[in-house]
Amino acid sequence: MGSLSLLGFLFGVLIMGSLSSSQAHKFLVGGKDGWVSNPSENYIHWAERNRFKVNDTLLFKYKKGSDSVLVVTKDQYNSCNTTSPKQSLTDGESVFKFDHSGPFYFISGTGDNCKKGQKLIIIVLAVRNKTSHSPPPSTAPVPEPPVSPSPTAETPASPPTTQPPVAKSPKGESPQPAGVNPSDMEPPATAPAPAKSSAPGFTGSVGLALGISIGVSVVLGSFAGMV
């Protein structure tokens, strides 16, 4: 409960502070001296000690009927020219409100009081927004990373097929491939030899038999004659 009360008190202080800061201020020109011909502090110095903004007001206090306040241009201010002022205040307690920012020029409307230093210049500050809407900073385009080519499996190139060198062979022989052992090669097929005629053998056998028969006959004949 105590914490809630403390939060409420702090919130109220913040609200009052923001209200007081946003309220316009009223400045008594010249301080305790007021609007006079011989002030104890120069009006220029007095203005430099304060800060003025739009909607603030100035209070000029002087003796009614014996002095006045004239709102003039810059040239009239520099020359203390009291003719044709922009505005004339004569009621003894004159209030002037700043309705815009920039410089404002005031002089006394009596005799030579302006030349004696009864003159005032106020610079009103420009209104500043609490929240400024600045455009977002421009961003440089982010460069896209270079796309590296995906590795592809390359098929190794097959070595070129080479024919084994053919060894030179002597005349009349067929060439043999190099690197082949001649002993591993099959010999060439030979044609079968022509069959020899059996006629001479047969003739010899017949003659032999015939000779034996004749011999036997001769032996038998000789044997029979002896008997």
Side-chain angles (χ1 to χ4, degrees), residues 143-216:
E144 296 183 358
V147 179
S148 58
S150 58
T152 57
E154 295 183 358
T155 305
S158 57
T161 56
T162 57
Q163 297 292 338
V166 179
K168 295 183 179 180
S169 59
K171 273 186 182 180
E173 295 184 2
S174 58
Q176 296 180 358
V180 179
N181 192 350
S183 61
D184 295 338
M185 299 179 62
E186 294 182 359
T190 56
K196 294 183 178 181
S197 174
S198 60
F202 178 75
T203 305
S205 298
V206 173
L208 180 58
L210 182 60
I212 293 173
S213 300
I214 294 172
V216 171

Side-chain angles (χ1 to χ4, degrees), residues 132-140:
S132 59
H133 301 282
S134 57
S138 58
T139 56

Side-chain angles (χ1 to χ4, degrees), residues 64-75:
K64 183 178 181 180
S66 61
D67 206 347
S68 63
V69 181
L70 303 180
V71 183
V72 295
T73 64
K74 181 180 179 180
D75 292 338

Side-chain angles (χ1 to χ4, degrees), residues 9-86:
F9 174 75
L10 293 175
F11 183 75
V13 170
L14 292 174
I15 293 297
M16 293 299 294
S18 61
L19 289 176
S20 61
S21 62
S22 62
Q23 290 176 353
H25 293 83
K26 180 180 286 188
F27 296 89
L28 177 61
V29 177
K32 62 181 181 178
D33 292 338
W35 184 243
V36 293
S37 59
N38 295 311
S40 58
E41 181 182 15
N42 184 281
Y43 290 115
I44 303 299
H45 295 163
W46 173 86
E48 290 175 349
R49 292 191 297 103
N50 296 284
R51 293 293 179 270
F52 306 93
K53 62 180 183 297
V54 177
N55 294 328
D56 285 348
T57 55
L58 295 179
L59 174 60
F60 294 88
K61 280 190 174 184
Y62 52 92
K63 186 176 181 180
K64 183 178 181 180
S66 61
D67 206 347
S68 63
V69 181
L70 303 180
V71 183
V72 295
T73 64
K74 181 180 179 180
D75 292 338
Q76 290 174 326
Y77 173 87
N78 291 330
S79 61
C80 289
N81 184 358
T82 59
T83 61
S84 304
K86 297 171 65 176

